[in-house]
C-alpha cells in the first residue's frame, strides 16, 4: 500500500519558500502545500496562474516531485497591475533596465535553482487566457493567483477551471470578503463566489485569504 503523501513541506523547502521574493504568508503557504500534495495523488499536473518570483511555485514543485507529476506555472512576467512603477507592490529590482519593463523571469529561475526544483517545473511564459485556449489536458489542481482586476481574475477562472479534473482542487488566493481588508481588489472574492454558486465546486478549507475548493460537479 502506498504511503500517504506528507502534507507539510520539508524544512529546507519551507526555508526556500520563506527566503523567496513574494507575498504569500507562511500559513497560506502551508495550506497550499497540503492541497497540492492531496491533489497530486490524482496523478495529474498541478498548475499555477501567476508565478511572480516563484515563492508559491516552490511548494507546488515539491508536492509534484513527491508524487511524480509536473508543476506548471503560467505568467507573462511583466507584473500584474499593482506591481507596476508607482504602485505599492512595485519592486524596482524586477525592472529590466534595457527595455524599462518588469521582468520577473530571471528572479523566478534563481528561486527554483536555489531550491533545487528546476527539473520539476514547466514554466510557461505567456498570458494566461492565451495559454488556457491551447491547453488540452486535465489538471489535478489549478491555483489562481494572477491579476486582481475583474477582467483578469474572471479570465483566469473561465480559462482554467474547466480543466480541473473530477475530485481535483481549485485554489484561489487573495479572497477578501470584507472591503475593509482589501489589498488588491475583491475580484478573486467574486470569482470564489461564482465557483461556489456554479454547483461545480465545494469548499474544502479556508486559511486567511486562501480558499480551497474541490470539483464535485460539472461546469464552471
Amino acid at each position: 500500500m502506498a504511503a500517504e503523501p506528507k502534507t507539510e513541506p520539508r524544512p529546507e523547502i519551507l526555508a526556500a519558500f520563506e527566503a523567496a521574493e513574494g507575498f504569500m504568508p507562511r500559513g497560506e503557504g502551508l495550506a497550499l502545500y497540503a492541497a497540492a500534495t492531496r491533489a497530486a495523488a490524482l496523478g495529474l499536473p498541478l498548475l499555477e496562474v501567476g508565478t511572480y518570483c516563484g515563492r508559491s511555485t516552490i511548494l507546488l514543485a515539491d508536492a509534484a516531485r513527491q508524487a511524480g507529476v509536473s508543476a506548471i506555472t503560467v505568467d507573462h512576467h511583466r507584473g500584474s497591475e499593482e506591481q507596476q512603477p508607482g504602485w505599492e507592490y512595485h519592486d524596482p529590482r524586477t525592472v529590466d533596465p534595457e527595455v524599462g519593463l518588469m521582468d520577473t523571469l530571471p528572479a523566478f529561475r534563481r528561486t527554483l535553482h536555489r531550491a533545487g526544483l528546476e527539473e520539476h517545473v514547466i514554466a510557461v511564459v505567456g498570458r494566461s487566457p492565451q495559454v488556457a485556449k491551447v491547453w488540452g489536458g486535465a489538471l489535478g489542481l489549478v491555483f489562481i493567483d494572477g491579476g486582481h482586476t475583474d477582467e483578469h481574475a474572471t479570465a483566469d477562472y473561465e480559462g482554467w477551471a474547466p480543466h480541473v479534473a473530477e475530485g481535483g482542487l481549485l485554489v484561489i488566493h487573495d479572497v477578501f470578503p470584507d472591503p475593509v481588508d482589501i489589498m488588491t481588489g475583491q475580484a478573486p472574492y467574486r470569482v470564489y463566489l461564482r465557483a461556489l454558486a456554479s454547483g461545480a465546486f465545494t469548499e474544502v478549507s479556508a486559511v486567511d485569504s486562501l480558499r480551497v475548493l474541490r470539483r464535485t460537479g460539472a461546469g464552471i
Side-chain angles (χ1 to χ4, degrees):
M1 186 174 180
E4 282 290 317
K6 293 182 178 180
T7 55
E8 290 191 8
R10 293 169 291 149
E12 60 268 30
I13 294 297
L14 186 56
F17 163 78
E18 294 187 319
E21 293 292 328
F23 309 103
M24 177 172 279
R26 179 188 178 112
E28 292 179 352
L30 291 174
L32 175 63
Y33 187 83
T37 56
R38 293 189 176 103
L42 293 174
L44 296 169
L46 314 177
L47 185 138
E48 167 185 58
V49 179
T51 312
Y52 191 52
C53 296
R55 184 176 172 95
S56 55
T57 316
I58 289 173
L59 303 177
L60 296 182
D62 191 63
R65 175 203 60 80
Q66 186 183 173
V69 301
S70 293
I72 301 157
T73 185
V74 179
D75 200 315
H76 50 66
H77 288 281
R78 293 303 191 195
S80 57
E81 58 282 346
E82 72 274 8
Q83 293 162 355
Q84 302 305 316
W87 290 80
E88 181 180 358
Y89 296 100
H90 176 65
D91 183 345
R93 295 173 298 174
T94 63
V95 175
D96 181 336
E98 184 172 333
V99 301
L101 299 173
M102 284 189 65
D103 185 1
T104 55
L105 184 57
F108 161 68
R109 296 203 69 172
R110 288 191 292 270
T111 295
L112 283 191
H113 177 73
R114 290 168 184 154
L117 291 167
E118 287 181 290
E119 65 183 279
H120 302 289
V121 176
I122 299 170
V124 180
V125 181
R127 296 192 175 273
S128 168
Q130 292 174 307
V131 178
K133 283 181 182 178
V134 299
W135 186 266
L139 298 164
L141 176 142
V142 167
F143 175 42
I144 296 178
D145 192 21
H148 295 89
T149 63
D150 281 300
E151 176 189 1
H152 292 138
T154 299
D156 290 341
Y157 175 74
E158 292 180 348
W160 292 107
H163 296 289
V164 177
E166 178 68 26
L169 298 179
L170 174 67
V171 184
I172 306 171
H173 194 215
D174 294 327
V175 173
F176 296 105
D178 189 341
V180 172
D181 299 327
I182 209 163
M183 285 177 60
T184 51
Q186 285 190 292
Y189 175 58
R190 287 187 279 273
V191 164
Y192 157 74
L193 293 179
R194 176 177 170 179
L196 290 179
S198 72
F201 295 97
T202 302
E203 187 165 333
V204 174
S205 66
V207 175
D208 297 328
S209 77
L210 192 82
R211 299 293 185 273
V212 179
L213 297 84
R214 176 173 287 112
R215 178 175 284 287
T216 53
I220 60 165

